[in-house]
Amino acid sequence: MAKPPGQPESPDLPEAVATPRSRWRMQIVWLVPIVAVLIGGWLAVKAVLEQGPTVTISFATGEGLEAGKTKIKFKNVDVGVVKSVTLSRDHRSVVATAELVKDASNMLVDDTRFWVVRPRISGGTVSGIGTLLSGSFIGMDLGASTRSRRDYVGLESPPVFASGVPGREFVLKSEDMGSLDVGSPVFFRRLQVGQITAYSLDADGKGVTLRVFINAPYDKYVQSDTRFWHASGVDVSLGTDGVKVNTQSVVAILIGGLAFQTPDETAGQPEAAVRTEFLLFHDRAEAMKRHDRIVDTYVFNFNDSVRGLTVGAPVDFRGIVVGEVAAIYTRFDPVRKLFSIPVEIHLYPERFTSRYQSGGAGGRLASNPHQMAEWLVAHGLRAQLRTGNLLTGQLYIALDFFPAAPKAEVNWSVNPPEIPTVPGGLQSLQDSVTSLVAKLNKIPFEGLGKDAQKTLADADSLLKLLRTEVMPQARDTLAAAQTTLDSANGALQPNSALQQGTTDAMRELARTAAAFRTLADYLDRHPEALIRGKPGDNK
């Protein structure tokens, strides 16, 4: 290579050649962010893989709910947390979005239930007291469905019993709720064995439907003929058999409740199935009444007052209740121009028959009930009003035989048929009193009064005569009698002459009697002395 002019010579140097840097060469300093990115990605993937399901729960109010703090608990174990609380689109409810743990995926089924746990007092039970310090949380209860779900409507109140509790649920029909509420207890022989779980008004508005849950093993005592009744407070009833007071436990008196029992005559039947429907009675007396299979309806037409007779009053046959009063009416007979009181009754023929021989169910007295009724009426069967309780004045109807009753027949031309009656005891007494008063009215009391006045005047004259004439003579006679008695008393004194003479005379009589006894003894020994005399007398 030629040197430029004017420069000294220098040794030859190698010529530098520029080498381009590789685009894929990594600096060591970049390892740290790469590792950080890898770890972050791994954590993100792990978080996604371990993330639990998200659910939305609608509540009527957001009271007690707080995003990021309110927990979701199942059996008091945290299974999730509320992430957000917002209003619904229509602003009528609150929507809580919650994230649950991964293991809770199989718990979110169609009938899973959620509710806010806060302090509550309902149906005599107190719950959620612990939340006063720890704060409210959302309770969770598992369902039995197999269909999954992610959106729910929260319960306004906690369920009475958790799922999986052994027992059975039954349905009760009632006219009204009384003092009952969700959580009210159910008693069996005064032992609490269940509670009311829900209630609702019937669609026709004529009654209510209650659901009760009976815990095991007591649910086996609910049978097909079991009777349920209101056990709230104190049940006081006035009937023909006096005053009755029935009470349950103190809890039932304070907060109300239900009770059930199976009649002894139908005990031992199969257990009732789940959700069997029963009728809820007002009290135990009504519930435990015998439910007869055969019911005949008759009418008793009374002419006397039925004051004290009420619907439900018993129809009695010689001390046995064989029916009850169903209705009381009034009737006007336009021909005779008279009012009467028809009383419609329900008669139970089964109670006239005996079941102890065969043990089977009772039935009718005869295969032909019309013919049997006619025979009974022909032999004096009548209905009569009687007083069941003098204190309350309540009446009942007695069926009995009255042989002296006028002849009568059953009136089959009307529906229900009419059975003849006889006046009650009070009515008969009233008729007798009326008849006596009528007879007394026929007595001429005015004439008798005049005669009585004349008799009293004659008696007054007689009394005057006795005072003026008879009484003085009577006084003189009594004075003379007194003098005679005094003389007799003086003569009878021990020192009187009469008494002394009498004593001497008695002595002489005694001597004479002794001489006669001596003579009698001698003559008894010597009877010949009457003829010959004594031997000494012949000398």
Side-chain angles (χ1 to χ4, degrees), residues 240 298-302 306 308-310 312-328 341-347 382-388 394-400 419-422:
T240 57
Y298 292 95
V299 168
F300 300 148
N301 193 29
F302 295 101
V306 295
L309 186 69
T310 60
V315 177
D316 181 284
F317 178 75
R318 297 183 176 180
I320 304 298
V321 177
V322 296
E324 64 180 2
V325 175
I328 303 175
I341 311 296
V343 178
E344 184 177 316
I345 63 105
H346 290 162
L347 195 66
R382 300 290 188 274
Q384 184 184 51
L385 287 174
R386 293 181 182 176
T387 301
Q394 291 188 322
L395 302 178
Y396 70 97
I397 298 178
L399 279 177
D400 209 337
I419 293 180
T421 63
V422 295

Side-chain angles (χ1 to χ4, degrees), residues 18 54 99 125 144 180 302 314 533:
T54 300
E99 182 179 330
T125 60
L180 303 175
F302 295 101

Side-chain angles (χ1 to χ4, degrees), residues 61 127 143 151 196 203 225 285 375 378 423 468 509 535:
T61 177
S127 61
D151 57 318
I196 297 177
D225 195 33
W375 183 88
T468 57
L509 287 175

Side-chain angles (χ1 to χ4, degrees), residues 312-375:
V315 177
D316 181 284
F317 178 75
R318 297 183 176 180
I320 304 298
V321 177
V322 296
E324 64 180 2
V325 175
I328 303 175
Y329 307 101
T330 57
R331 177 191 298 171
F332 178 71
D333 188 350
V335 177
R336 298 186 300 168
K337 307 297 182 182
L338 295 175
F339 283 96
S340 61
I341 311 296
V343 178
E344 184 177 316
I345 63 105
H346 290 162
L347 195 66
Y348 308 120
E350 294 174 289
R351 303 189 184 185
F352 285 95
T353 60
S354 177
R355 300 190 298 173
Y356 73 91
Q357 294 180 349
S358 61
R364 296 185 181 275
L365 289 174
S367 58
N368 190 338
H370 286 199
Q371 184 178 359
M372 187 63 188
E374 291 175 354
W375 183 88

Side-chain angles (χ1 to χ4, degrees), residues 135-150:
S136 301
F137 62 90
I138 297 178
M140 177 181 179
D141 184 47
L142 296 184
S145 176
T146 57
R147 195 171 113 191
S148 62
R149 184 177 175 182
R150 291 295 183 270

Side-chain angles (χ1 to χ4, degrees), residues 527-533:
E528 69 276 6
L530 292 173
I531 300 174
R532 299 178 182 177

